[in-house]
Amino acid sequence: MTPLFNPFRVYAKAIVAGLLLAILVVRCGCRSCSVTSETPRPVNATDTILLHAARVDRMMAQPRKAVVLTNADGTPVKNRIRGVGDCKTAFPDMNDVQLPTAMRLGVSSLADRDDAHNHQGKWVYIDDNPLYHVQRLSHSIPYLVPRAQRLLNEIARSFTDSLQRKGLPFYKLIVTSATRTEKDVTRLRRVNVNASENSCHRFGTTFDICYNSYYRVFDPEDGSKRQVWDGRLKDVLAEVLRDLRERGYCYVRYEYRQSCFHITAR
């Protein structure tokens, strides 16, 4: 005998299937949330540092604009190197300006390398890649908090884009310092009296980029060995940093004695 069609049984099965699907979606959503590299911080309406950081995060999330190398008629875009004039004037953000942001957005100060290892879930490892070169670090460790690493990537990409627009060969930036433990700071002050005891580098938000040396990358399919004077590359990098600083992405200090730009993510 053919069983009678029962609409209530079909309806009940549909409800069960819907519930199972909803549970699966929720579980997948939770998994995707659990792999985020930076836990969102509650933003107080009076916390200007976190409010600004949220604004920077929104800007960072926007898609990058494509590099335009030719005009509508097919002729190359002419983009001159203008520089920023006096770097000391263009990048005046002293330690007392950068420090409150570093302390608010970074990790707690680290005693030594072992302490840094205990906080490894809060770090992003930085190493040589197609955008920048990390030199051998003697007084810091190659780790940054996620927002500082994103800023470093943004600076390097913008520098590469600017080289393309100006018709210059490919150079990578060189990172000369990243996060310092308290022990690193003490060791550094023994050989560099200008090093700050209350350094922003202690919080993982700050890094240094060399301005008088760059890592040349040669295209094996291009026989050209053209070199560019470091002073011109410094002007290109300064233009990039001025633009990002004016847009509120970072603080920048021109370090004359150490030949680097000292940069803190905001």
Side-chain angles (χ1 to χ4, degrees):
M1 174 183 279
T2 304
L4 296 175
F5 174 72
N6 189 335
F8 297 102
R9 181 178 299 173
V10 174
Y11 183 66
K13 288 182 178 181
I15 293 177
V16 171
L19 289 173
L20 291 174
L21 179 60
I23 292 172
L24 179 62
V25 170
V26 170
R27 285 182 177 177
C28 292
C30 291
R31 286 174 185 167
S32 64
C33 292
S34 65
V35 299
T36 54
S37 58
E38 204 166 22
T39 304
R41 302 167 185 254
V43 180
N44 188 297
T46 60
D47 193 330
T48 57
I49 292 177
L50 285 188
L51 287 172
H52 185 89
R55 174 174 168 268
V56 171
D57 289 342
R58 290 193 296 270
M59 292 191 294
M60 282 280 194
Q62 296 299 314
R64 294 179 59 80
K65 294 181 180 179
V67 180
V68 179
L69 301 178
T70 57
N71 296 308
D73 59 1
T75 58
V77 173
K78 295 182 179 180
N79 196 321
R80 295 174 53 195
I81 301 175
R82 301 183 183 277
V84 299
D86 182 10
C87 283
K88 290 183 179 179
T89 303
F91 306 112
D93 301 323
M94 298 290 286
N95 190 68
D96 60 342
V97 173
Q98 301 193 29
L99 188 58
T101 292
M103 295 175 67
R104 191 73 179 90
L105 301 181
V107 297
S108 57
S109 182
L110 306 167
D112 51 30
R113 304 292 175 94
D114 290 336
D115 192 14
H117 180 75
N118 295 333
H119 290 76
Q120 60 183 343
K122 300 178 180 179
W123 301 113
V124 177
Y125 177 68
I126 59 171
D127 197 2
D128 288 358
N129 60 65
L131 294 173
Y132 54 83
H133 169 72
V134 180
Q135 73 169 32
R136 182 178 178 276
L137 304 178
S138 59
H139 292 87
S140 63
I141 54 178
Y143 291 90
L144 295 170
V145 295
R147 72 180 313 101
Q149 186 255 0
R150 288 196 299 269
L151 173 65
L152 176 56
N153 287 344
E154 180 65 27
I155 292 171
R157 286 172 181 161
S158 298
F159 179 71
T160 301
D161 291 349
S162 190
L163 291 178
Q164 284 187 286
R165 285 194 295 267
K166 292 170 169 53
L168 298 175
F170 182 34
Y171 284 81
K172 294 199 295 186
L173 299 175
I174 299 177
V175 178
T176 58
S177 186
T179 299
R180 297 175 189 154
T181 66
E182 297 287 354
K183 197 169 184 177
D184 289 325
V185 172
T186 301
R187 288 175 52 243
L188 180 60
R189 285 175 57 81
R190 291 173 185 164
V191 297
N192 181 2
V193 295
N194 295 308
S196 173
E197 183 177 7
N198 202 17
S199 172
C200 295
H201 283 281
R202 296 176 301 143
F203 305 99
T205 58
T206 305
F207 51 89
D208 295 341
I209 295 177
C210 179
Y211 63 65
N212 65 355
S213 183
Y214 300 82
Y215 191 89
R216 178 73 164 93
V217 179
F218 293 99
D219 184 350
E221 298 181 0
D222 183 3
S224 173
K225 300 297 182 181
R226 178 187 173 196
Q227 300 279 357
V228 179
W229 177 49
D230 290 341
R232 297 188 72 199
L233 296 173
K234 175 184 176 181
D235 286 339
V236 176
L237 175 57
E239 290 175 2
V240 169
L241 292 178
R242 180 182 61 182
D243 176 62
L244 293 175
R245 178 180 179 274
E246 289 179 347
R247 291 164 63 188
Y249 281 59
C250 56
Y251 288 119
V252 185
R253 172 66 179 169
Y254 178 68
E255 298 284 359
Y256 178 78
R257 296 178 185 275
Q258 282 70 49
S259 300
C260 69
F261 289 109
H262 174 80
I263 303 162
T264 294
R266 299 184 63 186

